Amino acid sequence: MPKIRPGMKRPPPDFKEIAEELDSFDVQLKDALHEEESANNSDGVKGKPIHSKKHGVTWAVSKVNRSRARFVFEAFRSRKISEACLKYCCDMNFVDNQMLETFRV
């Protein structure tokens, strides 16, 4: 589950429905960041960078971010979570609010 620290708002009861999947997205995001870091640190001799384009390295991070936002939106659309839970995820920055707006259109 994403870290809920003291002083933060309590999650709605239906947040439990998506918490496990949000954890898996966090793991994927950490892996993508590690991959980006290793691609930036490679010297080009033994291990070439995974992506050759300038912004190609950040694509993995963007892909995970979009997948996470799409998952939360689909859970809201299928009524697995309430609007209060969707708003909570946006307020706590678990998902990108602007990306959710593009899905709503």
Side-chain angles (χ1 to χ4, degrees), residues 27-41:
V27 170
Q28 290 176 8
L29 188 63
K30 286 179 185 178
D31 290 343
L33 288 172
H34 178 68
E35 179 181 311
E36 176 184 343
E37 190 175 290
S38 67
N40 287 338
N41 289 338

Side-chain angles (χ1 to χ4, degrees), residues 80-91:
K80 281 175 66 176
I81 61 171
S82 64
E83 189 170 347
C85 185
L86 182 69
K87 184 167 173 34
Y88 176 79
C89 288
C90 291
D91 291 345

Side-chain angles (χ1 to χ4, degrees), residues 24-42 50-51 55-65 68:
S24 70
F25 281 120
D26 284 342
V27 170
Q28 290 176 8
L29 188 63
K30 286 179 185 178
D31 290 343
L33 288 172
H34 178 68
E35 179 181 311
E36 176 184 343
E37 190 175 290
S38 67
N40 287 338
N41 289 338
S42 90
I50 299 167
H51 305 282
H55 299 290
V57 182
T58 60
W59 170 246
V61 175
S62 299
K63 185 177 171 184
V64 172
N65 188 27
R68 178 176 37 196

